[in-house]
Every structure is written in structure tokens, then in C-alpha cells.
Amino acid sequence: MAEIQVDVQARRFQERIDAEVRIEPKDWMPDAYRKTLIRQISQHAHSEIIGMQPEGGWITRAPSLRRKLILLSKVQDEGGHGLYLYSAAETLGASRASMIDALHSGRAKYSSIFNYPALTWADIGAIGWLVDSAAIVNQVPLQRCSFGPYARAMVRICKEESFHQRQGYEIMYTLATGSADQKAMAQDALNRWWWPSLMMFGPSDADSAHSSQSMAWKIKRFSNDELRQKFIDQAVPQADILGLEVPDTELAWDEQTQHYRYGAIDWDEFNRVVRGDGPCNRQRLAEHKRVHEAGAWVREAVVAYDRKHQDQSDV
Ligand code: 3HC
């Protein structure tokens, strides 16, 4: 009897998904739907928080007070994005401690892009321009994700990402139209961040383990390759305006498809970085662990305060 009931619930669930009815935390959902959402949302949150490191390291080295204020604001936004996303994952029953433990133990991932070093000030421009553009291309469709809390978190996050992208592109424009050395610094940053930005969209559709199910459940609205292509089609003209060259000798506009054809992505590099052997993987995780431990007293104080005031209100 119980099996038939679950089948009926699963069929009703898919009918709601197909009818574009938002799924809320208290609604019945297949365990696998819950599990893949906790996986994706928590890894999205980890990415936001770890992503604060490469940019945070440049706040004290920003070339002007204005740039420092903008970068401070952006890094603070990323921290807030992480907290929204952890909260969205918690509505599915995942605890913050278990998600952080999964990150620290290596069971959970974060975006490969944040395992590359930010070597010069131009990297801060390239990250804002390319990485945040890629994030926007990936996150705008997530505003229509079937799971309510995730979709709603994306609405605010996407608004803030557009400021992130614009400040990055402004840095690149300033450098690309500055001295020859500044333009060379901008080109060097584009050379190092272009291909890792394409890898942000995940493996090719043929190698994507989750895409077909995530698209059937309307978590994902477009495939990895569709979003990657959308990003390339918008970023190449932006590079042209900067007078910078995209580091892909096979890049060419295809009149027939109305898309850019592009060269082969180095999937060995992608898999190496995702496996933990990227330029900064160990440093990023060690820093997250260090700061998490250093902040334990804050979490303990908040819990003690809550407990004390809870007891008082129970009196
Ligand atoms: N880095 C690390 N792991 C990646 C990856 C990447 N760039 N791309 C894919 N993977 C992992 C997946 O997590 C999955 O592993 P898992 O089963 O252990 O979770 C495996 O590779 C197979 O990939 P799939 O395509 O099958 O996985 P998904 O269907 O989950 O698609 C995704 C991957 C497109 C990243 C999707 O998870 C997604 O859209 N996530 C939400 C957006 C996100 O996380 N963005 C990360 C950047 S956040 C950011 O840029 C912040 C901005 O403010 C700068």
C-alpha cells in the first residue's frame, strides 16, 4: 500500500512541476529531488563564500579609495549570497554544520573558478567581468527554478551580480584604454581567466551526470552547453570593445547558427581542478577552515545568548 501511495505522490509531484507550480519546503517531494537540491544549493553557497578569498585579498591593495569601497561592497555581497543560499538549503533539512563539514571533508564541491590565483589588479576586473557575467548567465534562469526558496534567493542575488559585473568591466575598460602596460595587464588577465570561466558552466552536456534529471524537475532550465554558448556570445563582443583578444584561435562567428564557434575546452584541467589539484585548492580550503575555527567563539556566543534569552522568555 505504501509503495502505491509514493507512486501516486511522485506522479502528482511531477504534474505540479510540469504545471510550473512552485515546490515549497513543506510540500511532498521525492527524496532524490531534495538530495540534488541540497547538493546544488549548498555547493552554490560554498562557491560564494570561497569566492570571497581571491577578491578579498585585493581590498587592501586597491589602487584608489573608490575602487577599495566598490570591492569591499562586492565581497560583502558575496558573503550575503552565501548566507541566503545556506538558508535556502536549510529549508530542505540540511544543517549549516553538516554543509560546512561536507565542504571541509571534500565531500562537497565549490566552483572550480575560485581555485585560480588573482595575480594582478586586472584579475579583479576579469573576475568581475567574466566570472560574474558567467554567474549571471547561470543564475538568471535559476530565478525560475521549481524550488521556491532557491528561486527567490536568486532574484536578489542576480540584481547584485549585475553591479559586480559592471564594476569589473569598468576596471577592464580603464586598464584597456590606459597605458600600454595597463592594457597588457588586462590582456594577461583575460588570457588566464577566459577558459576557467567557460568551465564554470560544468562538463559538456554529454558528460553531465545531473542535467537531464535537473531539467526534468525544472531546477535547470538550460543545459550546461546552452548557457556556456550564451556566455561566449555575449562576452566576445565585450572583449572587442575593450580592444582585447580572446585567447582562442578557433573562435569565429558562424552566420548560419548565429553563434560563436569556439575551441576545445581542456577537460583534463577541469577534472584536475574539480578533483582538488588546481593552483589554489589547498590554500582556499585551509583558509576556510582557519577562519571557520577562528569564528567558533562568535557562533558559541550567539547560541549561549539565544539559550539564555529563551530560558528567560520561558519563565
Ligand atoms: N566546479 C566544480 N564542480 C563542478 C563544476 C565546476 N565549475 N561544474 C560541475 N561541477 C560538478 C557538479 O557539482 C557535479 O558534481 P557533484 O555530483 O559532486 O555535485 C559534477 O561536476 C557533474 O556536473 P553536472 O553538470 O552534472 O552538475 P550540475 O547539474 O549540478 O551542474 C552547475 C553544475 C552548472 C554548476 C550547477 O550545479 C549550477 O548551476 N549550480 C548553481 C550555480 C553555481 O553553483 N555557480 C557556481 C559559481 S557561484 C559564483 O560564481 C558566485 C558569483 O557571485 C561570482
Side-chain angles (χ1 to χ4, degrees):
M1 185 55 186
E3 254 182 50
I4 296 169
Q5 198 188 2
V6 169
D7 288 348
V8 169
Q9 285 175 314
R11 190 167 34 59
R12 280 206 196 117
F13 171 82
Q14 193 59 49
E15 284 165 0
R16 297 185 72 197
I17 293 282
D18 296 342
E20 297 290 346
V21 174
R22 274 272 159 83
I23 305 299
E24 297 300 335
K26 291 197 176 5
D27 294 338
W28 186 91
M29 61 183 80
D31 289 345
Y33 178 81
R34 182 186 304 277
K35 189 164 170 268
T36 206
L37 276 171
I38 290 174
R39 173 191 65 82
Q40 175 164 331
I41 300 171
S42 64
Q43 294 183 158
H44 194 162
H46 297 330
S47 304
E48 299 277 3
I49 300 298
I50 297 276
M52 295 168 76
Q53 290 187 35
E55 292 176 305
W58 275 90
I59 289 172
T60 55
R61 296 181 280 171
S64 71
L65 181 57
R66 175 175 177 268
R67 292 290 185 201
K68 185 195 289 269
L69 290 173
I70 292 171
L71 186 55
L72 203 53
S73 174
K74 176 186 192 300
V75 172
Q76 182 181 296
D77 282 351
E78 308 295 11
H81 296 175
L83 300 185
Y84 295 146
L85 290 165
Y86 283 130
S87 302
E90 284 166 349
T91 67
L92 288 158
S95 72
R96 187 73 57 94
S98 66
M99 292 186 270
I100 299 299
D101 181 53
L103 172 66
H104 287 176
S105 65
R107 290 195 316 278
K109 297 182 168 70
Y110 58 90
S111 187
S112 50
I113 191 72
F114 297 121
N115 288 309
Y116 292 85
L119 300 176
T120 71
W121 175 250
D123 287 45
I124 299 305
I127 290 172
W129 168 37
L130 295 173
V131 175
D132 287 80
S133 286
I136 292 169
V137 169
N138 167 282
Q139 291 171 171
V140 164
L142 284 172
Q143 293 175 117
R144 292 187 297 118
C145 166
S146 57
F147 183 59
Y150 195 23
R152 290 189 289 271
M154 281 297 115
V155 172
R156 167 134 184 211
I157 287 176
C158 285
K159 284 189 172 60
E160 294 176 339
E161 294 293 6
S162 52
F163 144 62
H164 299 172
Q165 189 272 352
R166 226 169 297 134
Q167 63 85 37
Y169 193 66
E170 189 205 18
I171 291 173
M172 293 299 275
Y173 186 80
T174 305
L175 295 171
T177 56
S179 68
D181 286 349
Q182 286 177 320
K183 183 166 185 176
M185 186 164 61
Q187 182 63 60
D188 166 58
L190 174 55
N191 293 345
R192 287 183 287 107
W193 288 93
W194 176 258
W195 291 102
S197 297
L198 302 193
M199 296 174 192
M200 284 177 68
F201 294 93
S204 67
D205 292 349
D207 295 330
S208 171
H210 301 290
S211 280
S212 56
Q213 183 60 73
S214 288
M215 291 180 81
W217 279 333
K218 297 188 180 175
I219 295 169
K220 259 185 183 178
R221 293 287 182 165
F222 299 98
S223 75
N224 296 356
D225 288 333
E226 284 174 324
L227 292 179
R228 197 179 347 260
Q229 183 67 68
K230 182 174 166 59
F231 168 75
I232 292 167
D233 289 348
Q234 83 179 24
V236 172
Q238 291 169 347
D240 293 344
I241 292 167
L242 294 174
L244 299 179
E245 197 167 328
V246 171
D248 177 357
T249 53
E250 295 177 50
L251 194 70
W253 178 251
D254 186 325
E255 268 307 325
Q256 208 171 348
T257 62
Q258 290 292 295
H259 292 299
Y260 281 94
R261 286 196 307 276
Y262 54 95
I265 292 173
D266 181 348
W267 293 116
D268 288 343
E269 176 182 335
F270 170 76
N271 290 318
R272 199 171 49 247
V273 176
V274 170
R275 234 192 356 257
D277 296 333
C280 299
N281 294 61
R282 288 172 190 75
Q283 175 195 341
R284 298 286 187 245
L285 217 44
E287 178 64 3
H288 190 283
K289 286 177 184 172
R290 182 189 71 78
V291 173
H292 187 70
E293 279 147 29
W297 69 272
V298 177
R299 294 189 294 276
E300 287 153 19
V302 168
V303 169
Y305 179 88
D306 274 356
R307 196 170 292 133
K308 180 165 173 274
H309 284 74
Q310 190 61 46
D311 295 349
Q312 277 172 354
S313 62
D314 290 350
V315 170

